[in-house]
Amino acid sequence: MTAPPPASPRERQADRSAARRNRWLTGPAVTIVALFGIVPLLIVLVYSFLAPAPYGGVQWKFSTDAYLNFLFQRDIFSDALQFSPAFLLIYLRSFVFAVITTLICLALGFPTAYFMATRPPEQRNWWVLLITIPFWSNLLVRTLAIMFIIRDEGLINMALMGLGLIDKPITMLYTNFAIVLGLFYSFLPFMVLPLYSSLEKLDFRLVEAAHDLYATRRQVLWRIVIPMSAPGIVAGCLLVFIPALGAYVTPLILGGGTHLMIGDLIAQQFGSGRNWPLGSAQALILMAAVLVALWVYVRNAAKGGKHG
Amino acid sequence: MPEQPSGSAIAIREVSKVFGSGSDAVTALAQVDIDIRANEFFTLLGPSGCGKTTLLRLIAGFDYPTTGEIRLYGDDIAQLPPYRRPINTVFQNYALFPHMTVAQNIGFGLEMLGRPRAEIAARIDEMLRLVRMEELKNRRTSQISGGQQQRVALARALAPQPKVLLLDEPLSALDYKLRKEMQLELKRLQHETGITFIFVTHDQEEALTMSDRIAVMSKGRVLQIGTAHDIYDKPAERFVANFIGETNLLDAEVTGVDAATATVRVKGTTLQAGLPEGFRPTGKATVVIRPEHAELEAGGADRGTLGGLGGVITNVVFFGTDTHYYIALDGGGEFMVRRQNSRGAAGFASGDRVGLRIDPGAARVLRD
Amino acid sequence: MAERGPLDLKTQPGFGKVALLCLFLLYAPILILMIFSVNSGSIITHWEGVSLHWYGAALADGDFHSAARNTMVIAVSATVIATLTATLAAIGMTRVKPWRGLGAAFMVINLPLMVPEIVTAIATLSFFALVAGKLGLNFGIGNLIIAHTVFCIPFAYMPIRARLEDMDLTLEQAAADLYAPPWQTFRRVTLPLMMPGVFSGMALAFIVSFDDFTITQLVAGPGQTTLPLYIWNQTRRPMTPEINAISTILLLISIVVVTASALIARRRKA
């Protein structure tokens, strides 16, 4: 067969002018995010290799102390590096909290999303709205609402004491329990919504086909529904895990400064800690963890794409 | 190249369209030449992916050809954007503006042309009468049925009085009965408006019933252009014969050729077969015989008088107005015969031995 | 034999109860907070009777007024800039022939969604500190407007893009076919059809700016208190039901905006 003819001048001109127009249209948004969103991240990267200034900010002097300080502490007297797991433990704790939160959100969010997806369409819209409202409501206020309830003199303790079940309040605020509860409460809609949108697209004739082939309800759930909604499950887990790992407001209010998570740790370095390079390094380590999670997701999505 | 014949509305000259470039290049149209006459109902017929919609989009101006010219009454319009071409389109999904009423949709083109309000209003009413939709004038397009949307799409495209109307499989979304109705409606509209219609379809029956002329396309090429009768009775290529109607294809040996016919031998029988224009076959060839151009004869023992072809009926399928008989030919191959079901006609059953009498002039040699 | 409905094979036992439990968990704290906002007593957890006293107290507070003013200035500015630029970007990036840099542009626009809020917060803080230190530039409340615009852009972009993707490309071809030049096609067909997406994007951008705490807290300079910051400051004093009243106002604004946006989105589908 002969080679196809090259594009005509008119074809090329049409393509080029469309591309030029589209670049101009996209320009302002990209410029704003690049200049005020990406450049600051690069500055953080630079800061993490500088030395701290005494009253906050940085000294323009190359140093890897920030990264060393993440794992080691310099002995005041001998100047020797000593292994100090304080920061690492906070990272580990944050990781564990984020994983637990994700699992609880999945355990409660999946049945909820499935239930929503099997309602008649009219009801579905209302359910989605009901889940969406907390999603877009003020996180600080919602976290304060939790605080009011679980405080020593909060509603739960008052009620239990009023009923004579306990004599003195159960301490819930400023505990690990409070933080995980707060994280769950904050991010549950982040799990339900992507799960719902993936379950809503599920072809329920497959469920009928499975029943026809002698599967029980539970077998249908595990063998058909869950595998087919895997992309939604992964997306939901990621949408809970990432913000939970970097949570700032929740531990700030419900952890009371004693049960730190990564978010508060970073903020501290930029506040009372006055060690911007250390905070920058900690932020980049958090970013790295998030990128790993995203990478796993993208790889999974690419694999899933091949199946269909 | 030959000059544009006088009276042709659209002349397509050596048009190619390539999508993508380099190793991804896909040739959607290869060197297409078509002349479409003024006031003609012209159909581009072919399976999906044959390039018929691409060609329509080039005529409308939604894409530019990679090579070649598209002339509208002599002017090359191939490089003009769609809004500068006096050509309108009826889209496959109708593409009615959902945020406008029926009347606003119909008036849109005239409004863009800057016509006076009074003229637009009058024309909208005229169009609504033409497609019999007067009472739905102020409805939203989402509030009317598929068949009604189809009429609005037609009215909208006809309102600016285009020189050519393009129709991209406009009936494919309609159910069978409505489709039949709209086929007649389209013929009526074309007759009343006198506008040249270029109609794209993959439905051969639709093409045969509606068109003045048909271009059969496959793999980006035009294989044959002609009237419905030409295309059906005198297919020039195997693809055309197969795509349109039902066909019997038989291997043959060419033994002699004169001006318009060839003498061929098929399974030991000699037949006279028509030839495509300008084609001189030699040696082996394929012969096509339509199922209704053969008659069954009981027995089939006397091969000489029956044209020599015979076999055993393997399957009989009843279709209401006619019946299809599938015959395993002596010496291999299958042949199908279609017979009208008339009262009192002798029937045949599976297992009967039959002879075949081919109508004189029914057999044709194919070009491939 | 008794009439029975068709066997519903889709239901899983117990799932409905879990769904209701989730709704309860999501709404109980908010509702309790709202109920206590109309408590007449001055001790936050002690119920003394219904009164709008604390709403009056909040609305009479000068600090509350300036916080509300700051919040509105920031949220409205960020929303307008973000919606405008996101709309243009969505037009240039959706349903178009892929152009070089399209993928990169998409990643840049969505980046603020991937970065943890606290990282964005300290990065923005560092950026403005550097700009102020090296260039001597301080935009005052403009710093917050810029910071908010950045994370508002992807929120505004998403629904506009989704709307455009749902839109039938042949509608614009039909307009061009009916003699509408590109600008008329945009004005008469594309723009009216994409408006619901633009409204939704605007609503989301407004809400995320209006509610932002983390980034604002780190970036805000003195005198740049927004409503969430004001509430945070209140929690560090002996708390009165005034904080419930203000919180309720914030929640109600979010609920109204989100519901309105959802209703617009639903109507466009009908």
Side-chain angles (χ1 to χ4, degrees), chain A residues 139-152:
Chain A
L139 188 62
L140 177 74
V141 169
R142 292 175 62 216
T143 310
L144 286 174
I146 288 278
M147 187 185 88
F148 291 141
I149 292 172
I150 64 172
R151 295 197 306 178
D152 285 0

Side-chain angles (χ1 to χ4, degrees), chain A residues 120-142:
Chain A
E122 208 21 55
Q123 279 181 41
R124 274 186 230 173
N125 285 335
W126 288 109
W127 274 94
V128 170
L129 183 62
L130 283 174
I131 300 291
T132 312
I133 286 173
F135 184 91
W136 294 110
S137 293
N138 195 306
L139 188 62
L140 177 74
V141 169
R142 292 175 62 216

Side-chain angles (χ1 to χ4, degrees), chain B residues 2-22:
Chain B
E3 276 302 295
Q4 185 166 1
S6 59
S8 105
I10 293 264
I12 291 153
R13 289 283 170 271
E14 295 191 342
V15 164
S16 303
K17 179 66 188 174
V18 179
F19 291 107
S21 60

Side-chain angles (χ1 to χ4, degrees), chain B residues 37 213 223-227 230-231 233-237 257-262 273-281 364-368:
Chain B
R37 295 170 198 144
R213 287 194 308 149
L223 301 180
Q224 190 171 357
I225 301 177
T227 62
D230 285 346
I231 301 274
D233 289 337
K234 300 172 184 169
E237 298 196 26
V257 174
D258 60 37
T261 57
L275 289 173
E277 208 176 313
F279 184 59
R280 288 272 164 281
R364 296 203 47 100
V365 177
L366 294 177
R367 191 180 270 136
D368 64 339

Side-chain angles (χ1 to χ4, degrees), chain B residues 339-357:
Chain B
R339 294 179 88 217
Q340 289 273 326
N341 292 327
S342 54
R343 244 175 242 267
F348 293 90
S350 265
D352 287 359
R353 175 150 196 92
V354 290
L356 293 170
R357 189 174 58 208

